[in-house]
Amino acid sequence: MVERLKNVAEIIFCILEKGNEEKKLLTAANLLENNQISNIEIDYKFKKDESVIIRKNDILLKRINPTYVNFISEINNNIYAGNNLIIIRPKNIDAKYLAAILDTNIEKFTKKNSIGAIVPSIGRKEIEKFKIEMCSKEQQVALGQYWLKSIEKRVLETKKIELEKQKTLIIVNKFINKIGGNKND
């Protein structure tokens, strides 16, 4: 059975009004691939809007040029989603399963349904029509868990590679200094 996204999730387009209330704000620029967030900013430019507070199990999507989603498995209280983000809040579907389906298909979907001519973007009508293949709850949970664990594995592998690079630099520098120092300093 196939469902439309609007039938299985609440879709919130984040548009903040100008103001000067202090808040923690997550912007599209701070969403990284593999469910990573680079920074949460303190903001004074917009009013607080309770409807765009990010919750556990929310799925965040950039409205402009979306190529991946960010699944929120945990988050501190009262962090607001910034402009040009879309919050997809699952209702009657496993959140990780929905994130996996969106993550796998969003770039292709965006290019096919883009409302922008130069920079691909998603509008409400387009995202509401996004098709979700439904399966049993058990299958949803299993696939969602697999998707999330595979992302966590990629993040750990990337960190391991970075640590190996740092280790190599330290060993090479120690050796160079031992045999007479670095002549290029």
Side-chain angles (χ1 to χ4, degrees):
M1 178 174 75
V2 176
E3 284 284 351
R4 303 278 184 195
L5 183 60
K6 70 179 182 177
N7 297 330
V8 298
E10 180 182 4
I11 303 168
I12 304 164
F13 277 71
C14 303
I15 302 170
L16 300 174
E17 292 183 40
K18 294 216 181 277
N20 60 357
E21 298 173 315
E22 179 182 318
K23 79 197 94 14
K24 294 177 186 172
L25 186 69
L26 177 59
T27 63
N30 293 321
L31 292 180
L32 306 175
E33 284 187 272
N34 295 327
N35 288 335
Q36 297 182 80
I37 296 172
S38 65
N39 189 27
I40 295 176
E41 302 169 2
I42 301 296
D43 175 81
Y44 299 93
K45 297 179 212 151
F46 302 103
K47 289 182 183 177
K48 289 181 178 178
D49 179 353
E50 303 293 317
S51 72
V52 297
I53 290 179
I54 303 168
R55 299 181 197 163
K56 181 179 178 176
N57 290 331
D58 278 351
I59 301 163
L60 300 180
L61 178 64
K62 295 177 184 180
R63 192 177 97 55
I64 298 170
N65 202 22
T67 56
Y68 53 87
V69 302
N70 289 80
F71 176 74
I72 306 299
S73 56
E74 56 185 63
I75 189 132
N76 293 334
N77 292 333
N78 297 323
I79 296 180
Y80 294 78
N83 287 331
N84 290 317
L85 286 178
I86 302 169
I87 298 173
I88 299 172
R89 192 162 284 154
K91 294 188 287 193
N92 53 354
I93 188 170
D94 182 78
K96 293 176 192 116
Y97 172 74
L98 180 56
I101 297 299
L102 288 166
D103 192 46
T104 304
N105 295 291
I106 198 64
E107 186 172 15
K108 178 175 50 176
F109 177 82
T110 302
K111 287 178 181 172
K112 181 181 171 190
N113 295 289
S114 182
I115 60 172
I118 297 173
V119 179
S121 62
I122 295 179
R124 179 171 296 282
K125 288 179 187 174
E126 292 77 25
I127 196 71
E128 286 178 348
K129 293 178 186 175
F130 189 97
K131 294 177 184 174
I132 307 294
E133 187 69 40
M134 298 301 288
C135 54
S136 72
K137 198 66 162 170
E138 294 79 22
Q139 290 172 320
Q140 289 180 28
V141 170
L143 184 60
Q145 284 288 1
Y146 175 78
W147 171 79
L148 189 59
K149 292 294 181 193
S150 70
I151 287 175
E152 291 169 354
K153 181 182 176 193
R154 283 195 304 267
V155 168
L156 290 173
E157 287 170 347
T158 302
K159 287 179 182 177
K160 180 182 175 191
I161 290 168
E162 188 55 41
L163 288 171
E164 286 293 331
K165 285 180 188 176
Q166 291 174 11
K167 178 182 170 185
T168 300
L169 286 174
I170 290 169
I171 290 170
V172 169
N173 280 331
K174 276 186 176 181
F175 180 76
I176 289 171
N177 290 333
K178 187 176 184 178
I179 61 170
N182 192 343
K183 305 292 186 218
N184 296 312
D185 283 344

